Each structure stands twice: as C-alpha cells, then as structure tokens.
Amino acid sequence: MTQHADDHAHEQHAGVAELRLASGDHGLVPRRDPLAEDLPLDRNQAILQAAKQVGAILKRKGHRFALAGSVAVYAHGGTQNLQHDVDFCFRPEDAGDVAETLRDAGLPVHAPPEDWLLKASCLGQQVDLIFELAHQPVTSEMLERAQELSVDSVFMPVLSPTDLVHSLVAAFSEHHCDFGAVLPIARTLRERVDWDRVRRACGDDPMPDAFFYFLERLEVIPPRPKEEQR
C-alpha cells in the first residue's frame, strides 16, 4: 500500500496528461493544464489533491465507497501525515464498475498480485482501491456507518472512527506490527471509537491484544474489566 515518489516518475507524467477533470469537463487535461502546474510540491498536499479528485469522480458517478487510511484520519481531525498513498474502500461486487469509472476518467487502474485491492494512480500519487479490510470483505453496513466529512473542502464519505481503527489494528501481525504509527491515531480518535467493539472484532489475536495492553498502560483507553481478562 506504500510506494515512494521515485517509483512514480513515469506515472506522474502519464497520469496528469490524461486525467479528466472531476468538475464535469469531459475533455482531457492537457499536459500544461494549471491543475498539473499548481500541484504543490509538499507530498501531503499532493496526496490530498489526489484524494479529492478521485473522491469527486466516484461521487459524481454515484458509487458507494468510503475514504480509509491516513487521509481518513486527517478528515477526522488527525495530523497531516498522510503516509505515501490514498485509500478508498468499496464492496467486492463493485470493483469492476469502480475500475471502469476511473479508467473512463483517464486514470490507470491495475490488479496487483494481492487479491484484496486494485491500484490506481492520480496526479502522480498511488491510490489503493480496497475491497477487503481487516481480513474481511467491505460490507454495505460498513459503508452505511461512514460519515460525510470535508476532505480539504471536498465532502465525501469517510470510514467511521471505530471501523477505521479496527482496520488498522486488525492488520497487525508478526510481519507488520508498527504500534508507533497507530498510537497517535488511537489517541486522536479515542473518544469516538467503540473500543469494546474493536476488541470483540479482534478476538484473541495476539498482536492487537498486545496493542490494547499498550494503550491501557499509556492510559489512552481504560483497562478491560477484570472478569473479562484471561
């Protein structure tokens, strides 16, 4: 889900040259279009521009989706540390239609070896189109819980704080266990997260359980009642 700027050297030129504006202009954006020239050098702002553009395209076509990942954290009031890419989630059965919409708008879309997402590129930034979060398919219920929030002045559905935190914590494993990246997110959203529901959803998985203990010791979340502790 991450990719460095050097990996996009070719995509930056191709993506900007072909992109159709989400405002409804059906023409192609020329290579010298002001949208491309004004793209800020700051990576966070570039990622926000890509999120806004893709979100506007999906909204205009009526797709059911929700913003996820670090840009969703930002939309909920987190810091502007956007971690390399843009994440959108949608139901598995909508994958083909979403891909077609983005290709019609001039965005390259491809299927990577991983079978739980598609990848696209917008304004030189990687966009992950995810249909499986926390090892489970994205559902209509999850998308219904999404909240309509402003993402740098563009309103779009954003994963609820509980679903967002669960998606991050449930991804912990022996090979991916970066507590430091998720800790500030848990602190920012802690009062809006149903921690009991997140715990139940994670079950007995050891890595999420270790993270919950970590949060308890730091007094980010209250400890579980003694009768629930093993």
Side-chain angles (χ1 to χ4, degrees):
M1 293 172 62
T2 62
Q3 186 170 336
H4 297 294
D6 292 343
D7 297 333
H8 294 293
H10 174 72
E11 293 178 1
Q12 286 180 346
H13 296 293
V16 171
E18 298 173 357
L19 180 62
R20 293 182 177 87
L21 288 171
S23 62
D25 184 349
H26 297 292
L28 291 174
V29 177
R31 189 177 296 276
R32 301 295 295 175
D33 189 84
L35 177 63
E37 294 178 355
D38 292 344
L39 186 66
L41 295 178
D42 178 79
R43 186 65 184 277
N44 286 334
Q45 286 299 319
I47 290 173
L48 280 178
Q49 291 280 11
K52 291 162 58 177
Q53 188 71 22
V54 173
I57 293 169
L58 295 175
K59 281 178 58 179
R60 189 176 70 241
K61 292 296 184 180
H63 289 294
R64 300 185 66 182
F65 71 95
L67 183 66
S70 58
V71 186
V73 175
Y74 169 77
H76 280 294
T79 59
Q80 195 180 50
N81 179 19
L82 303 185
Q83 300 179 8
H84 311 301
D85 57 17
V86 184
D87 298 322
F88 289 93
C89 59
F90 55 95
R91 300 177 305 174
E93 58 265 35
D94 296 332
D97 290 341
V98 169
E100 182 179 1
T101 289
L102 295 183
R103 289 190 181 109
D104 286 346
L107 302 182
V109 181
H110 72 278
E114 299 86 355
D115 60 1
W116 47 273
L117 82 167
L118 301 173
K119 288 184 178 289
S121 178
C122 179
L123 299 175
Q125 307 306 311
Q126 180 173 296
V127 179
D128 286 349
L129 307 168
I130 301 167
F131 44 86
E132 183 177 299
L133 280 175
H135 314 297
Q136 297 293 328
V138 174
T139 63
S140 298
E141 292 75 18
M142 181 184 294
L143 298 182
E144 288 169 1
R145 291 193 294 267
Q147 301 173 8
E148 195 82 6
L149 298 176
S150 174
V151 180
D152 199 27
S153 79
V154 174
F155 280 86
M156 66 182 73
V158 179
L159 278 184
S160 73
T162 299
D163 288 324
L164 180 55
V165 168
H166 176 227
S167 72
L168 299 172
V169 174
F172 289 146
S173 69
E174 291 84 353
H175 304 290
H176 172 78
C177 197
D178 187 359
F179 288 179
V182 183
L183 173 60
I185 297 172
R187 279 180 163 153
T188 297
L189 301 180
R190 61 183 175 181
E191 294 181 354
R192 287 175 280 169
V193 172
D194 184 342
W195 291 102
D196 289 338
R197 185 158 74 84
V198 175
R199 285 186 191 269
R200 289 194 302 271
C202 290
D204 295 330
D205 288 351
M207 295 304 173
D209 195 50
F211 185 65
F212 297 140
Y213 176 74
F214 183 52
L215 294 181
E216 290 175 5
R217 291 298 304 271
L218 293 175
E219 298 184 343
V220 175
I221 63 174
R224 284 186 300 177
K226 289 184 178 181
E227 59 269 20
E228 296 182 11
Q229 298 180 16
R230 295 188 301 274

